[in-house]
Amino acid sequence: MEVLAATPRALFPRASPAALMATAGRTPPARRRCAAPVRASAAAAEPAGEAKPAAAPKAAAAPKKVLKKKPVYSMKKGQIVRVDKDKYLNSINYLSVGHPPFYKGLDYIYEDRGEVLDIRIFETGEYALIAWVGIPTPPAWLPTYMLIKSDKLDYERI
């Protein structure tokens, strides 16, 4: 122990031995229990010679919390949908994939039932995450304007 006390520079290279001994004897200041700051009243701030009529104390206007409104979606989670073929073939979603004309690999999105897994509103509009029932493909985000809702769960293929 004496070796450690004799060589404080090896343990604390930036602190001098005098600074370490000075801080070791100090106790930390007590913390305040009240989170709100204490405010002086207006009467205490005025000089004693001037007396004003007592006014009703005004409540401190707390900042109002602005609650975000829940967005209203055009469909619900779990809804059975299919994709409108004309709208999809003329959309940027189809053109960005680069499929050749008359590509038949995507016919399942027009004919089979898809289930809405999630709905979000992005900068470009409202999109739904669609997973196709019985088709081993990953879900896809599609704009809701190109989806056709099905009222019944026993959806028939076209």
Side-chain angles (χ1 to χ4, degrees):
M1 203 56 154
E2 294 173 355
V3 175
L4 292 175
T7 59
R9 291 179 197 252
L11 295 174
F12 307 103
R14 293 191 180 141
S16 66
L20 288 174
M21 296 308 255
T23 58
R26 255 193 261 161
T27 59
R31 292 184 178 224
R32 291 178 53 181
R33 291 184 185 246
C34 180
V38 178
R39 296 183 185 176
S41 67
E46 295 177 3
E50 300 175 16
K52 288 190 175 179
K58 293 182 180 178
K64 294 182 180 179
K65 282 189 174 180
V66 178
L67 298 176
K68 284 182 132 180
K69 291 184 179 178
K70 285 191 174 183
V72 178
Y73 297 116
S74 61
M75 54 186 60
K76 299 183 294 188
K77 291 182 183 179
Q79 176 106 30
I80 302 297
V81 295
R82 66 182 175 93
V83 179
D84 186 7
K85 189 172 186 174
D86 294 331
K87 289 182 181 178
Y88 181 72
L89 291 178
N90 294 324
S91 71
I92 190 73
N93 301 50
Y94 177 74
L95 297 174
S96 66
V97 176
H99 289 303
F102 308 111
Y103 179 69
K104 296 290 184 186
L106 291 176
D107 284 347
Y108 67 92
I109 68 173
Y110 317 122
E111 298 170 357
D112 289 336
R113 57 188 170 163
E115 181 183 355
V116 177
L117 300 178
D118 194 11
I119 300 175
R120 300 269 171 93
I121 296 178
F122 297 111
E123 293 175 353
T124 55
E126 183 183 43
Y127 281 74
L129 183 65
I130 310 295
W132 284 269
V133 179
I135 308 294
T137 57
W141 286 100
L142 292 174
T144 56
Y145 74 86
M146 66 175 60
L147 300 176
I148 302 169
K149 299 177 196 174
S150 175
D151 295 333
K152 53 187 178 177
L153 291 175
D154 54 342
Y155 189 80
E156 296 177 14
R157 289 187 79 174
I158 298 176

